[in-house]
Every structure is written in C-alpha cells, then in structure tokens.
PDB file of all heavy atoms in Angstrom:
ATOM      1  N   ALA A  15      -2.139 -24.966   9.565  1.00 88.00           N
ATOM      2  CA  ALA A  15      -2.439 -23.798   8.796  1.00 88.00           C
ATOM      3  C   ALA A  15      -3.067 -24.150   7.503  1.00 88.00           C
ATOM      4  O   ALA A  15      -4.040 -23.537   7.004  1.00 88.00           O
ATOM      5  CB  ALA A  15      -1.186 -22.967   8.611  1.00 88.00           C
ATOM      6  N   LYS A  16      -2.547 -25.180   6.794  1.00 88.00           N
ATOM      7  CA  LYS A  16      -3.084 -25.609   5.505  1.00 88.00           C
ATOM      8  C   LYS A  16      -4.498 -26.191   5.696  1.00 88.00           C
ATOM      9  O   LYS A  16      -5.354 -25.963   4.831  1.00 88.00           O
ATOM     10  CB  LYS A  16      -2.161 -26.662   4.896  1.00 88.00           C
ATOM     11  CG  LYS A  16      -0.871 -26.086   4.287  1.00 88.00           C
ATOM     12  CD  LYS A  16      -0.103 -27.173   3.629  1.00 88.00           C
ATOM     13  CE  LYS A  16       1.143 -26.660   2.893  1.00 88.00           C
ATOM     14  NZ  LYS A  16       1.887 -27.756   2.247  1.00 88.00           N
ATOM     15  N   ALA A  17      -4.695 -26.978   6.768  1.00 89.00           N
ATOM     16  CA  ALA A  17      -6.031 -27.583   6.967  1.00 89.00           C
ATOM     17  C   ALA A  17      -7.095 -26.543   7.184  1.00 89.00           C
ATOM     18  O   ALA A  17      -8.196 -26.614   6.672  1.00 89.00           O
ATOM     19  CB  ALA A  17      -5.966 -28.547   8.141  1.00 89.00           C
ATOM     20  N   LEU A  18      -6.742 -25.500   8.003  1.00 90.00           N
ATOM     21  CA  LEU A  18      -7.691 -24.384   8.173  1.00 90.00           C
ATOM     22  C   LEU A  18      -7.965 -23.649   6.847  1.00 90.00           C
ATOM     23  O   LEU A  18      -9.135 -23.344   6.568  1.00 90.00           O
ATOM     24  CB  LEU A  18      -7.113 -23.396   9.181  1.00 90.00           C
ATOM     25  CG  LEU A  18      -7.954 -22.156   9.488  1.00 90.00           C
ATOM     26  CD1 LEU A  18      -9.284 -22.501  10.073  1.00 90.00           C
ATOM     27  CD2 LEU A  18      -7.196 -21.198  10.453  1.00 90.00           C
ATOM     28  N   ALA A  19      -6.943 -23.443   6.063  1.00 88.00           N
ATOM     29  CA  ALA A  19      -7.138 -22.779   4.800  1.00 88.00           C
ATOM     30  C   ALA A  19      -8.025 -23.595   3.826  1.00 88.00           C
ATOM     31  O   ALA A  19      -8.886 -23.085   3.174  1.00 88.00           O
ATOM     32  CB  ALA A  19      -5.785 -22.522   4.114  1.00 88.00           C
ATOM     33  N   ARG A  20      -7.797 -24.890   3.757  1.00 89.00           N
ATOM     34  CA  ARG A  20      -8.533 -25.732   2.867  1.00 89.00           C
ATOM     35  C   ARG A  20      -9.952 -25.981   3.310  1.00 89.00           C
ATOM     36  O   ARG A  20     -10.831 -26.426   2.502  1.00 89.00           O
ATOM     37  CB  ARG A  20      -7.846 -27.081   2.690  1.00 89.00           C
ATOM     38  CG  ARG A  20      -6.479 -26.950   1.949  1.00 89.00           C
ATOM     39  CD  ARG A  20      -5.976 -28.322   1.494  1.00 89.00           C
ATOM     40  NE  ARG A  20      -4.668 -28.190   0.844  1.00 89.00           N
ATOM     41  CZ  ARG A  20      -4.045 -29.212   0.225  1.00 89.00           C
ATOM     42  NH1 ARG A  20      -4.602 -30.385   0.202  1.00 89.00           N
ATOM     43  NH2 ARG A  20      -2.895 -29.013  -0.336  1.00 89.00           N
ATOM     44  N   SER A  21     -10.249 -25.731   4.569  1.00 92.00           N
ATOM     45  CA  SER A  21     -11.617 -25.940   5.067  1.00 92.00           C
ATOM     46  C   SER A  21     -12.550 -24.826   4.675  1.00 92.00           C
ATOM     47  O   SER A  21     -13.727 -24.922   4.827  1.00 92.00           O
ATOM     48  CB  SER A  21     -11.594 -26.084   6.636  1.00 92.00           C
ATOM     49  OG  SER A  21     -10.830 -27.202   7.020  1.00 92.00           O
ATOM     50  N   ILE A  22     -12.001 -23.728   4.147  1.00 90.00           N
ATOM     51  CA  ILE A  22     -12.770 -22.614   3.770  1.00 90.00           C
ATOM     52  C   ILE A  22     -12.610 -22.379   2.242  1.00 90.00           C
ATOM     53  O   ILE A  22     -11.501 -22.306   1.740  1.00 90.00           O
ATOM     54  CB  ILE A  22     -12.366 -21.331   4.520  1.00 90.00           C
ATOM     55  CG1 ILE A  22     -12.405 -21.587   6.045  1.00 90.00           C
ATOM     56  CG2 ILE A  22     -13.226 -20.141   4.139  1.00 90.00           C
ATOM     57  CD1 ILE A  22     -11.788 -20.486   6.864  1.00 90.00           C
ATOM     58  N   ASP A  23     -13.724 -22.312   1.544  1.00 88.00           N
ATOM     59  CA  ASP A  23     -13.697 -22.107   0.081  1.00 88.00           C
ATOM     60  C   ASP A  23     -13.460 -20.614  -0.178  1.00 88.00           C
ATOM     61  O   ASP A  23     -14.375 -19.871  -0.461  1.00 88.00           O
ATOM     62  CB  ASP A  23     -15.023 -22.586  -0.537  1.00 88.00           C
ATOM     63  CG  ASP A  23     -14.943 -22.536  -2.033  1.00 88.00           C
ATOM     64  OD1 ASP A  23     -13.818 -22.389  -2.632  1.00 88.00           O
ATOM     65  OD2 ASP A  23     -16.005 -22.626  -2.684  1.00 88.00           O
ATOM     66  N   CYS A  24     -12.200 -20.224  -0.055  1.00 88.00           N
ATOM     67  CA  CYS A  24     -11.829 -18.823  -0.312  1.00 88.00           C
ATOM     68  C   CYS A  24     -10.422 -18.825  -0.863  1.00 88.00           C
ATOM     69  O   CYS A  24      -9.758 -19.840  -0.940  1.00 88.00           O
ATOM     70  CB  CYS A  24     -11.987 -17.955   0.964  1.00 88.00           C
ATOM     71  SG  CYS A  24     -10.883 -18.483   2.312  1.00 88.00           S
ATOM     72  N   SER A  25      -9.935 -17.623  -1.190  1.00 87.00           N
ATOM     73  CA  SER A  25      -8.602 -17.539  -1.763  1.00 87.00           C
ATOM     74  C   SER A  25      -7.577 -17.749  -0.661  1.00 87.00           C
ATOM     75  O   SER A  25      -7.658 -17.193   0.430  1.00 87.00           O
ATOM     76  CB  SER A  25      -8.400 -16.148  -2.419  1.00 87.00           C
ATOM     77  OG  SER A  25      -8.647 -15.093  -1.494  1.00 87.00           O
ATOM     78  N   VAL A  26      -6.590 -18.573  -1.043  1.00 87.00           N
ATOM     79  CA  VAL A  26      -5.520 -18.925  -0.088  1.00 87.00           C
ATOM     80  C   VAL A  26      -4.156 -18.776  -0.808  1.00 87.00           C
ATOM     81  O   VAL A  26      -4.008 -19.215  -1.952  1.00 87.00           O
ATOM     82  CB  VAL A  26      -5.661 -20.353   0.444  1.00 87.00           C
ATOM     83  CG1 VAL A  26      -4.557 -20.730   1.380  1.00 87.00           C
ATOM     84  CG2 VAL A  26      -7.013 -20.556   1.070  1.00 87.00           C
ATOM     85  N   ARG A  27      -3.213 -18.136  -0.164  1.00 90.00           N
ATOM     86  CA  ARG A  27      -1.863 -18.059  -0.668  1.00 90.00           C
ATOM     87  C   ARG A  27      -0.834 -18.482   0.390  1.00 90.00           C
ATOM     88  O   ARG A  27      -1.036 -18.174   1.568  1.00 90.00           O
ATOM     89  CB  ARG A  27      -1.549 -16.646  -1.134  1.00 90.00           C
ATOM     90  CG  ARG A  27      -2.407 -16.118  -2.231  1.00 90.00           C
ATOM     91  CD  ARG A  27      -2.170 -16.780  -3.619  1.00 90.00           C
ATOM     92  NE  ARG A  27      -0.838 -16.504  -4.099  1.00 90.00           N
ATOM     93  CZ  ARG A  27      -0.573 -15.432  -4.857  1.00 90.00           C
ATOM     94  NH1 ARG A  27      -1.503 -14.522  -5.150  1.00 90.00           N
ATOM     95  NH2 ARG A  27       0.664 -15.225  -5.339  1.00 90.00           N
ATOM     96  N   ARG A  28       0.150 -19.178  -0.047  1.00 90.00           N
ATOM     97  CA  ARG A  28       1.208 -19.619   0.881  1.00 90.00           C
ATOM     98  C   ARG A  28       2.545 -18.922   0.552  1.00 90.00           C
ATOM     99  O   ARG A  28       2.904 -18.852  -0.652  1.00 90.00           O
ATOM    100  CB  ARG A  28       1.375 -21.132   0.835  1.00 90.00           C
ATOM    101  CG  ARG A  28       2.454 -21.690   1.795  1.00 90.00           C
ATOM    102  CD  ARG A  28       2.520 -23.211   1.663  1.00 90.00           C
ATOM    103  NE  ARG A  28       3.437 -23.813   2.593  1.00 90.00           N
ATOM    104  CZ  ARG A  28       4.733 -24.017   2.347  1.00 90.00           C
ATOM    105  NH1 ARG A  28       5.260 -23.653   1.164  1.00 90.00           N
ATOM    106  NH2 ARG A  28       5.559 -24.536   3.269  1.00 90.00           N
ATOM    107  N   ILE A  29       3.222 -18.415   1.547  1.00 92.00           N
ATOM    108  CA  ILE A  29       4.483 -17.717   1.366  1.00 92.00           C
ATOM    109  C   ILE A  29       5.542 -18.457   2.150  1.00 92.00           C
ATOM    110  O   ILE A  29       5.412 -18.681   3.361  1.00 92.00           O
ATOM    111  CB  ILE A  29       4.473 -16.265   1.864  1.00 92.00           C
ATOM    112  CG1 ILE A  29       3.270 -15.524   1.204  1.00 92.00           C
ATOM    113  CG2 ILE A  29       5.763 -15.569   1.496  1.00 92.00           C
ATOM    114  CD1 ILE A  29       3.133 -14.122   1.781  1.00 92.00           C
ATOM    115  N   GLN A  30       6.549 -18.998   1.457  1.00 92.00           N
ATOM    116  CA  GLN A  30       7.712 -19.589   2.137  1.00 92.00           C
ATOM    117  C   GLN A  30       8.705 -18.532   2.400  1.00 92.00           C
ATOM    118  O   GLN A  30       9.398 -18.014   1.491  1.00 92.00           O
ATOM    119  CB  GLN A  30       8.323 -20.714   1.312  1.00 92.00           C
ATOM    120  CG  GLN A  30       9.490 -21.447   1.947  1.00 92.00           C
ATOM    121  CD  GLN A  30       9.068 -22.197   3.207  1.00 92.00           C
ATOM    122  OE1 GLN A  30       8.166 -23.027   3.185  1.00 92.00           O
ATOM    123  NE2 GLN A  30       9.700 -21.860   4.319  1.00 92.00           N
ATOM    124  N   PHE A  31       8.838 -18.135   3.656  1.00 93.00           N
ATOM    125  CA  PHE A  31       9.756 -17.057   4.029  1.00 93.00           C
ATOM    126  C   PHE A  31      11.189 -17.501   4.003  1.00 93.00           C
ATOM    127  O   PHE A  31      11.519 -18.482   4.715  1.00 93.00           O
ATOM    128  CB  PHE A  31       9.344 -16.435   5.385  1.00 93.00           C
ATOM    129  CG  PHE A  31       8.173 -15.535   5.351  1.00 93.00           C
ATOM    130  CD1 PHE A  31       6.883 -16.068   5.410  1.00 93.00           C
ATOM    131  CD2 PHE A  31       8.376 -14.164   5.192  1.00 93.00           C
ATOM    132  CE1 PHE A  31       5.806 -15.204   5.366  1.00 93.00           C
ATOM    133  CE2 PHE A  31       7.261 -13.323   5.187  1.00 93.00           C
ATOM    134  CZ  PHE A  31       5.954 -13.834   5.255  1.00 93.00           C
ATOM    135  N   THR A  32      11.992 -16.813   3.256  1.00 91.00           N
ATOM    136  CA  THR A  32      13.455 -17.099   3.141  1.00 91.00           C
ATOM    137  C   THR A  32      14.214 -15.809   3.181  1.00 91.00           C
ATOM    138  O   THR A  32      13.633 -14.725   3.023  1.00 91.00           O
ATOM    139  CB  THR A  32      13.741 -17.806   1.768  1.00 91.00           C
ATOM    140  OG1 THR A  32      13.250 -17.021   0.706  1.00 91.00           O
ATOM    141  CG2 THR A  32      13.058 -19.187   1.726  1.00 91.00           C
ATOM    142  N   PRO A  33      15.524 -15.902   3.436  1.00 90.00           N
ATOM    143  CA  PRO A  33      16.317 -14.669   3.583  1.00 90.00           C
ATOM    144  C   PRO A  33      16.310 -13.800   2.322  1.00 90.00           C
ATOM    145  O   PRO A  33      16.460 -12.567   2.456  1.00 90.00           O
ATOM    146  CB  PRO A  33      17.734 -15.182   3.899  1.00 90.00           C
ATOM    147  CG  PRO A  33      17.509 -16.525   4.556  1.00 90.00           C
ATOM    148  CD  PRO A  33      16.319 -17.070   3.862  1.00 90.00           C
ATOM    149  N   ASP A  34      16.135 -14.433   1.113  1.00 92.00           N
ATOM    150  CA  ASP A  34      16.103 -13.629  -0.106  1.00 92.00           C
ATOM    151  C   ASP A  34      14.767 -13.130  -0.545  1.00 92.00           C
ATOM    152  O   ASP A  34      14.613 -12.527  -1.612  1.00 92.00           O
ATOM    153  CB  ASP A  34      16.761 -14.451  -1.237  1.00 92.00           C
ATOM    154  CG  ASP A  34      16.020 -15.745  -1.540  1.00 92.00           C
ATOM    155  OD1 ASP A  34      15.192 -16.138  -0.685  1.00 92.00           O
ATOM    156  OD2 ASP A  34      16.285 -16.318  -2.567  1.00 92.00           O
ATOM    157  N   LEU A  35      13.716 -13.380   0.280  1.00 92.00           N
ATOM    158  CA  LEU A  35      12.368 -12.890  -0.043  1.00 92.00           C
ATOM    159  C   LEU A  35      12.350 -11.365   0.040  1.00 92.00           C
ATOM    160  O   LEU A  35      12.827 -10.784   1.046  1.00 92.00           O
ATOM    161  CB  LEU A  35      11.350 -13.506   0.889  1.00 92.00           C
ATOM    162  CG  LEU A  35       9.914 -13.335   0.533  1.00 92.00           C
ATOM    163  CD1 LEU A  35       9.483 -14.216  -0.698  1.00 92.00           C
ATOM    164  CD2 LEU A  35       8.974 -13.733   1.718  1.00 92.00           C
ATOM    165  N   LEU A  36      11.709 -10.734  -0.917  1.00 92.00           N
ATOM    166  CA  LEU A  36      11.613  -9.268  -0.947  1.00 92.00           C
ATOM    167  C   LEU A  36      10.280  -8.763  -0.491  1.00 92.00           C
ATOM    168  O   LEU A  36       9.317  -9.516  -0.623  1.00 92.00           O
ATOM    169  CB  LEU A  36      11.932  -8.745  -2.359  1.00 92.00           C
ATOM    170  CG  LEU A  36      13.278  -9.083  -2.954  1.00 92.00           C
ATOM    171  CD1 LEU A  36      13.386  -8.583  -4.406  1.00 92.00           C
ATOM    172  CD2 LEU A  36      14.404  -8.422  -2.132  1.00 92.00           C
ATOM    173  N   PRO A  37      10.184  -7.573   0.016  1.00 92.00           N
ATOM    174  CA  PRO A  37       8.833  -7.029   0.416  1.00 92.00           C
ATOM    175  C   PRO A  37       7.865  -7.016  -0.725  1.00 92.00           C
ATOM    176  O   PRO A  37       6.666  -7.231  -0.550  1.00 92.00           O
ATOM    177  CB  PRO A  37       9.191  -5.626   0.949  1.00 92.00           C
ATOM    178  CG  PRO A  37      10.620  -5.659   1.338  1.00 92.00           C
ATOM    179  CD  PRO A  37      11.270  -6.668   0.393  1.00 92.00           C
ATOM    180  N   SER A  38       8.362  -6.752  -1.975  1.00 92.00           N
ATOM    181  CA  SER A  38       7.459  -6.701  -3.120  1.00 92.00           C
ATOM    182  C   SER A  38       6.880  -8.111  -3.445  1.00 92.00           C
ATOM    183  O   SER A  38       5.852  -8.205  -4.052  1.00 92.00           O
ATOM    184  CB  SER A  38       8.205  -6.205  -4.360  1.00 92.00           C
ATOM    185  OG  SER A  38       9.364  -7.003  -4.632  1.00 92.00           O
ATOM    186  N   ASP A  39       7.591  -9.128  -3.030  1.00 92.00           N
ATOM    187  CA  ASP A  39       7.053 -10.520  -3.216  1.00 92.00           C
ATOM    188  C   ASP A  39       5.801 -10.722  -2.351  1.00 92.00           C
ATOM    189  O   ASP A  39       4.938 -11.554  -2.670  1.00 92.00           O
ATOM    190  CB  ASP A  39       8.082 -11.545  -2.849  1.00 92.00           C
ATOM    191  CG  ASP A  39       9.315 -11.513  -3.789  1.00 92.00           C
ATOM    192  OD1 ASP A  39       9.160 -11.159  -5.000  1.00 92.00           O
ATOM    193  OD2 ASP A  39      10.425 -11.807  -3.346  1.00 92.00           O
ATOM    194  N   VAL A  40       5.735  -9.984  -1.251  1.00 93.00           N
ATOM    195  CA  VAL A  40       4.607 -10.128  -0.359  1.00 93.00           C
ATOM    196  C   VAL A  40       3.497  -9.204  -0.703  1.00 93.00           C
ATOM    197  O   VAL A  40       2.304  -9.552  -0.819  1.00 93.00           O
ATOM    198  CB  VAL A  40       5.057  -9.851   1.105  1.00 93.00           C
ATOM    199  CG1 VAL A  40       3.895  -9.918   2.042  1.00 93.00           C
ATOM    200  CG2 VAL A  40       6.136 -10.812   1.501  1.00 93.00           C
ATOM    201  N   THR A  41       3.805  -7.895  -0.931  1.00 93.00           N
ATOM    202  CA  THR A  41       2.769  -6.861  -1.110  1.00 93.00           C
ATOM    203  C   THR A  41       2.396  -6.683  -2.633  1.00 93.00           C
ATOM    204  O   THR A  41       1.230  -6.394  -2.927  1.00 93.00           O
ATOM    205  CB  THR A  41       3.214  -5.539  -0.576  1.00 93.00           C
ATOM    206  OG1 THR A  41       4.425  -5.150  -1.251  1.00 93.00           O
ATOM    207  CG2 THR A  41       3.505  -5.612   0.919  1.00 93.00           C
ATOM    208  N   GLY A  42       3.317  -6.917  -3.521  1.00 92.00           N
ATOM    209  CA  GLY A  42       3.087  -6.664  -4.916  1.00 92.00           C
ATOM    210  C   GLY A  42       4.029  -5.552  -5.414  1.00 92.00           C
ATOM    211  O   GLY A  42       4.711  -4.905  -4.651  1.00 92.00           O
ATOM    212  N   VAL A  43       4.004  -5.337  -6.706  1.00 90.00           N
ATOM    213  CA  VAL A  43       4.875  -4.367  -7.308  1.00 90.00           C
ATOM    214  C   VAL A  43       4.230  -3.765  -8.523  1.00 90.00           C
ATOM    215  O   VAL A  43       3.368  -4.377  -9.200  1.00 90.00           O
ATOM    216  CB  VAL A  43       6.188  -5.036  -7.719  1.00 90.00           C
ATOM    217  CG1 VAL A  43       5.991  -6.093  -8.810  1.00 90.00           C
ATOM    218  CG2 VAL A  43       7.242  -4.039  -8.124  1.00 90.00           C
ATOM    219  N   SER A  44       4.587  -2.502  -8.817  1.00 87.00           N
ATOM    220  CA  SER A  44       4.098  -1.851 -10.046  1.00 87.00           C
ATOM    221  C   SER A  44       5.033  -2.165 -11.191  1.00 87.00           C
ATOM    222  O   SER A  44       6.241  -1.951 -11.090  1.00 87.00           O
ATOM    223  CB  SER A  44       3.987  -0.321  -9.848  1.00 87.00           C
ATOM    224  OG  SER A  44       3.021  -0.029  -8.848  1.00 87.00           O
ATOM    225  N   VAL A  45       4.515  -2.685 -12.309  1.00 89.00           N
ATOM    226  CA  VAL A  45       5.296  -3.070 -13.471  1.00 89.00           C
ATOM    227  C   VAL A  45       4.881  -2.192 -14.662  1.00 89.00           C
ATOM    228  O   VAL A  45       3.718  -1.934 -14.886  1.00 89.00           O
ATOM    229  CB  VAL A  45       5.087  -4.550 -13.738  1.00 89.00           C
ATOM    230  CG1 VAL A  45       5.919  -4.999 -15.005  1.00 89.00           C
ATOM    231  CG2 VAL A  45       5.442  -5.412 -12.560  1.00 89.00           C
ATOM    232  N   TYR A  46       5.906  -1.769 -15.403  1.00 85.00           N
ATOM    233  CA  TYR A  46       5.652  -0.979 -16.589  1.00 85.00           C
ATOM    234  C   TYR A  46       5.126  -1.818 -17.726  1.00 85.00           C
ATOM    235  O   TYR A  46       5.705  -2.833 -18.104  1.00 85.00           O
ATOM    236  CB  TYR A  46       6.907  -0.233 -17.012  1.00 85.00           C
ATOM    237  CG  TYR A  46       6.694   0.743 -18.156  1.00 85.00           C
ATOM    238  CD1 TYR A  46       6.062   1.979 -17.932  1.00 85.00           C
ATOM    239  CD2 TYR A  46       7.131   0.421 -19.466  1.00 85.00           C
ATOM    240  CE1 TYR A  46       5.885   2.858 -18.988  1.00 85.00           C
ATOM    241  CE2 TYR A  46       6.922   1.304 -20.508  1.00 85.00           C
ATOM    242  CZ  TYR A  46       6.275   2.545 -20.233  1.00 85.00           C
ATOM    243  OH  TYR A  46       6.105   3.436 -21.313  1.00 85.00           O
ATOM    244  N   ASN A  47       3.932  -1.384 -18.233  1.00 84.00           N
ATOM    245  CA  ASN A  47       3.320  -2.102 -19.376  1.00 84.00           C
ATOM    246  C   ASN A  47       3.631  -1.305 -20.680  1.00 84.00           C
ATOM    247  O   ASN A  47       3.225  -0.161 -20.841  1.00 84.00           O
ATOM    248  CB  ASN A  47       1.793  -2.157 -19.187  1.00 84.00           C
ATOM    249  CG  ASN A  47       1.157  -3.067 -20.220  1.00 84.00           C
ATOM    250  OD1 ASN A  47       1.576  -3.104 -21.342  1.00 84.00           O
ATOM    251  ND2 ASN A  47       0.074  -3.735 -19.783  1.00 84.00           N
ATOM    252  N   GLN A  48       4.426  -1.939 -21.558  1.00 85.00           N
ATOM    253  CA  GLN A  48       4.846  -1.239 -22.762  1.00 85.00           C
ATOM    254  C   GLN A  48       3.664  -0.980 -23.699  1.00 85.00           C
ATOM    255  O   GLN A  48       3.725  -0.046 -24.494  1.00 85.00           O
ATOM    256  CB  GLN A  48       5.901  -2.059 -23.464  1.00 85.00           C
ATOM    257  CG  GLN A  48       7.227  -2.182 -22.710  1.00 85.00           C
ATOM    258  CD  GLN A  48       8.298  -2.848 -23.457  1.00 85.00           C
ATOM    259  OE1 GLN A  48       8.020  -3.486 -24.499  1.00 85.00           O
ATOM    260  NE2 GLN A  48       9.495  -2.845 -22.940  1.00 85.00           N
ATOM    261  N   GLU A  49       2.602  -1.825 -23.687  1.00 84.00           N
ATOM    262  CA  GLU A  49       1.499  -1.606 -24.543  1.00 84.00           C
ATOM    263  C   GLU A  49       0.688  -0.350 -24.133  1.00 84.00           C
ATOM    264  O   GLU A  49       0.324   0.441 -25.002  1.00 84.00           O
ATOM    265  CB  GLU A  49       0.584  -2.822 -24.603  1.00 84.00           C
ATOM    266  CG  GLU A  49       1.281  -4.059 -25.175  1.00 84.00           C
ATOM    267  CD  GLU A  49       0.330  -5.244 -25.197  1.00 84.00           C
ATOM    268  OE1 GLU A  49      -0.823  -5.145 -24.718  1.00 84.00           O
ATOM    269  OE2 GLU A  49       0.741  -6.298 -25.652  1.00 84.00           O
ATOM    270  N   THR A  50       0.429  -0.207 -22.832  1.00 82.00           N
ATOM    271  CA  THR A  50      -0.365   0.903 -22.357  1.00 82.00           C
ATOM    272  C   THR A  50       0.545   2.077 -22.000  1.00 82.00           C
ATOM    273  O   THR A  50       0.060   3.208 -21.742  1.00 82.00           O
ATOM    274  CB  THR A  50      -1.173   0.523 -21.129  1.00 82.00           C
ATOM    275  OG1 THR A  50      -0.278   0.108 -20.092  1.00 82.00           O
ATOM    276  CG2 THR A  50      -2.121  -0.582 -21.513  1.00 82.00           C
ATOM    277  N   ARG A  51       1.851   1.833 -21.963  1.00 82.00           N
ATOM    278  CA  ARG A  51       2.819   2.840 -21.581  1.00 82.00           C
ATOM    279  C   ARG A  51       2.488   3.476 -20.206  1.00 82.00           C
ATOM    280  O   ARG A  51       2.520   4.681 -20.043  1.00 82.00           O
ATOM    281  CB  ARG A  51       2.905   3.968 -22.663  1.00 82.00           C
ATOM    282  CG  ARG A  51       3.452   3.427 -23.991  1.00 82.00           C
ATOM    283  CD  ARG A  51       3.700   4.591 -24.960  1.00 82.00           C
ATOM    284  NE  ARG A  51       4.212   4.082 -26.256  1.00 82.00           N
ATOM    285  CZ  ARG A  51       4.616   4.847 -27.245  1.00 82.00           C
ATOM    286  NH1 ARG A  51       4.384   6.163 -27.142  1.00 82.00           N
ATOM    287  NH2 ARG A  51       5.122   4.289 -28.361  1.00 82.00           N
ATOM    288  N   ASP A  52       2.157   2.605 -19.353  1.00 86.00           N
ATOM    289  CA  ASP A  52       1.801   3.022 -17.990  1.00 86.00           C
ATOM    290  C   ASP A  52       2.188   1.924 -17.029  1.00 86.00           C
ATOM    291  O   ASP A  52       2.337   0.736 -17.428  1.00 86.00           O
ATOM    292  CB  ASP A  52       0.344   3.364 -17.858  1.00 86.00           C
ATOM    293  CG  ASP A  52       0.030   4.196 -16.615  1.00 86.00           C
ATOM    294  OD1 ASP A  52       0.991   4.531 -15.875  1.00 86.00           O
ATOM    295  OD2 ASP A  52      -1.156   4.428 -16.363  1.00 86.00           O
ATOM    296  N   PHE A  53       2.280   2.245 -15.743  1.00 85.00           N
ATOM    297  CA  PHE A  53       2.553   1.234 -14.728  1.00 85.00           C
ATOM    298  C   PHE A  53       1.257   0.562 -14.265  1.00 85.00           C
ATOM    299  O   PHE A  53       0.264   1.234 -14.076  1.00 85.00           O
ATOM    300  CB  PHE A  53       3.253   1.867 -13.522  1.00 85.00           C
ATOM    301  CG  PHE A  53       4.702   2.193 -13.786  1.00 85.00           C
ATOM    302  CD1 PHE A  53       5.083   3.448 -14.221  1.00 85.00           C
ATOM    303  CD2 PHE A  53       5.683   1.242 -13.553  1.00 85.00           C
ATOM    304  CE1 PHE A  53       6.371   3.793 -14.463  1.00 85.00           C
ATOM    305  CE2 PHE A  53       7.028   1.556 -13.770  1.00 85.00           C
ATOM    306  CZ  PHE A  53       7.358   2.810 -14.265  1.00 85.00           C
ATOM    307  N   GLU A  54       1.293  -0.720 -14.147  1.00 88.00           N
ATOM    308  CA  GLU A  54       0.112  -1.452 -13.599  1.00 88.00           C
ATOM    309  C   GLU A  54       0.540  -2.288 -12.437  1.00 88.00           C
ATOM    310  O   GLU A  54       1.687  -2.834 -12.379  1.00 88.00           O
ATOM    311  CB  GLU A  54      -0.516  -2.330 -14.688  1.00 88.00           C
ATOM    312  CG  GLU A  54       0.366  -3.406 -15.262  1.00 88.00           C
ATOM    313  CD  GLU A  54      -0.337  -4.211 -16.322  1.00 88.00           C
ATOM    314  OE1 GLU A  54      -1.191  -3.677 -17.011  1.00 88.00           O
ATOM    315  OE2 GLU A  54       0.020  -5.421 -16.471  1.00 88.00           O
ATOM    316  N   PHE A  55      -0.315  -2.445 -11.440  1.00 89.00           N
ATOM    317  CA  PHE A  55       0.001  -3.118 -10.208  1.00 89.00           C
ATOM    318  C   PHE A  55      -0.201  -4.648 -10.359  1.00 89.00           C
ATOM    319  O   PHE A  55      -1.214  -5.125 -10.807  1.00 89.00           O
ATOM    320  CB  PHE A  55      -0.879  -2.570  -9.080  1.00 89.00           C
ATOM    321  CG  PHE A  55      -0.653  -3.183  -7.761  1.00 89.00           C
ATOM    322  CD1 PHE A  55       0.585  -3.072  -7.104  1.00 89.00           C
ATOM    323  CD2 PHE A  55      -1.617  -4.000  -7.161  1.00 89.00           C
ATOM    324  CE1 PHE A  55       0.798  -3.651  -5.879  1.00 89.00           C
ATOM    325  CE2 PHE A  55      -1.463  -4.579  -5.944  1.00 89.00           C
ATOM    326  CZ  PHE A  55      -0.224  -4.431  -5.304  1.00 89.00           C
ATOM    327  N   LYS A  56       0.822  -5.360  -9.946  1.00 92.00           N
ATOM    328  CA  LYS A  56       0.760  -6.858  -9.894  1.00 92.00           C
ATOM    329  C   LYS A  56       0.625  -7.230  -8.421  1.00 92.00           C
ATOM    330  O   LYS A  56       1.609  -7.084  -7.680  1.00 92.00           O
ATOM    331  CB  LYS A  56       1.996  -7.413 -10.528  1.00 92.00           C
ATOM    332  CG  LYS A  56       2.192  -7.116 -11.985  1.00 92.00           C
ATOM    333  CD  LYS A  56       1.092  -7.766 -12.838  1.00 92.00           C
ATOM    334  CE  LYS A  56       1.372  -7.528 -14.338  1.00 92.00           C
ATOM    335  NZ  LYS A  56       0.308  -8.074 -15.146  1.00 92.00           N
ATOM    336  N   PRO A  57      -0.509  -7.715  -7.983  1.00 92.00           N
ATOM    337  CA  PRO A  57      -0.676  -8.047  -6.564  1.00 92.00           C
ATOM    338  C   PRO A  57       0.300  -9.126  -6.121  1.00 92.00           C
ATOM    339  O   PRO A  57       0.564 -10.076  -6.828  1.00 92.00           O
ATOM    340  CB  PRO A  57      -2.157  -8.542  -6.465  1.00 92.00           C
ATOM    341  CG  PRO A  57      -2.775  -7.984  -7.727  1.00 92.00           C
ATOM    342  CD  PRO A  57      -1.766  -7.945  -8.765  1.00 92.00           C
TER     343      PRO A  57
END
C-alpha cells in the first residue's frame, strides 16, 4: 500500500485503525473559531 502511494506524486494519508479511533478522525470535524465566531471545517 505504501509503495503504491509513493509511486504517485499526489496527496497520501495513512490511518492506523484502532478501537479508540473516532469517525471524526477519518472524515473531519467542525471546530468553533473564536476569532471569526463561526464554525470552520477541519478535514
């Protein structure tokens, strides 16, 4: 899997799946930004 990923010059992310991994760790989460006073998405 790593060799295939490194053979292509594109964005690659690795996820080590564990019992304590949350869905938001995979998809992302909306975080409140105190400066803009609004929620912004963290991929």
